[in-house]
Amino acid sequence: MSKWSMALLVALRRGASLTPVLRRRCGRALASLPTDDAGWMTELSPNQFAVLRQKATEPPGYSEGTEGELEHDLKRDYGTKYPDVGVYECAGCREPLYFARTKFNSGCGWPAFYDGIPGAIREVPDADGMRIEIVCAKCDGHLGHVFKNEGFPTPTDERHCVNGISLRYEPAGYQPDDTPKLPAALVPKPIPP
């Protein structure tokens, strides 16, 4: 019996719920979304809950520098933080948010994308009017902020500055063939093995 199977049996005997374990392990979407904070706490890690539900911000470089987080694991598993196939999904509800080829190196310390999948992201002006928050259109999870007209040579001249903890990468996710590839300067070369 594997260590994971043994740990699962012990947890079940103690009355644990299978939902968050299977969801993290298998990456399947929820049949229905939680309706309150208590429900979200059973589906998300404490850090994911803080960002997605309470609008916290992870420190710059956290996703790349922390084992088990999005960009760290992309570098380990694919040799790059910029795979050109698949999609990035909401870590809360698994809704596809970004095509992989829309991710670029903005140098900001957080994953950056030039555009979201149509209808997947909602823009909400911050109360102070200084920035525009971006949230998952399906579950209202906080993703980060969008900045416009900064001069990046992308098709939209937008930078969706997204907390890595708000996302998960799905390599088998559908991405249209006509999703533009970015200039090489914005997508660094793969890391040598």
Side-chain angles (χ1 to χ4, degrees):
M1 181 176 289
S2 73
K3 285 187 209 177
W4 188 79
S5 298
M6 183 59 79
L8 180 61
L9 288 174
V10 169
L12 288 173
R13 286 188 184 129
R14 292 181 181 159
S17 168
L18 271 179
T19 305
V21 174
L22 289 177
R23 187 152 168 255
R24 281 192 291 268
R25 197 71 182 163
C26 302
R28 293 201 171 95
L30 297 174
S32 62
L33 296 176
T35 58
D36 58 16
D37 284 350
W40 280 111
M41 283 185 219
T42 67
E43 299 298 327
L44 303 171
S45 73
N47 287 339
Q48 287 173 321
F49 181 81
V51 171
L52 284 162
R53 307 315 307 169
Q54 297 177 319
K55 303 178 188 283
T57 300
E58 68 188 16
Y62 177 81
S63 181
E64 183 174 0
T66 307
E67 188 171 343
E69 296 301 332
L70 177 72
E71 292 192 318
H72 179 279
D73 290 358
L74 283 172
K75 285 171 43 179
R76 181 195 65 216
D77 298 342
Y78 300 96
T80 180
K81 296 186 309 182
Y82 307 97
D84 65 355
V85 298
V87 297
Y88 292 88
E89 299 174 339
C90 176
C93 68
R94 303 294 196 248
E95 183 73 8
L97 301 173
Y98 297 100
F99 297 126
R101 284 195 294 265
T102 64
K103 187 176 185 205
F104 71 99
N105 181 12
S106 69
C108 70
W110 290 272
F113 301 84
Y114 69 77
D115 202 5
I117 294 173
I121 296 165
R122 212 165 28 86
E123 295 183 4
V124 181
D126 277 353
D128 63 8
M130 301 292 289
R131 299 185 301 179
I132 300 171
E133 178 189 14
I134 47 178
V135 299
C136 172
K138 182 174 180 181
C139 73
D140 289 326
H142 173 74
L143 304 171
H145 291 84
V146 62
F147 301 93
K148 302 179 181 193
N149 303 314
E150 294 181 312
F152 285 107
T154 64
T156 62
D157 193 15
E158 290 187 2
R159 174 173 57 98
H160 290 226
C161 185
V162 182
N163 291 283
I165 204 163
S166 298
L167 301 173
R168 72 181 290 278
Y169 175 63
E170 176 50 62
Y174 172 74
Q175 176 174 236
D177 292 335
D178 63 352
T179 302
K181 287 190 175 189
L182 292 172
L186 290 178
V187 183
K189 292 179 182 175
I191 301 162

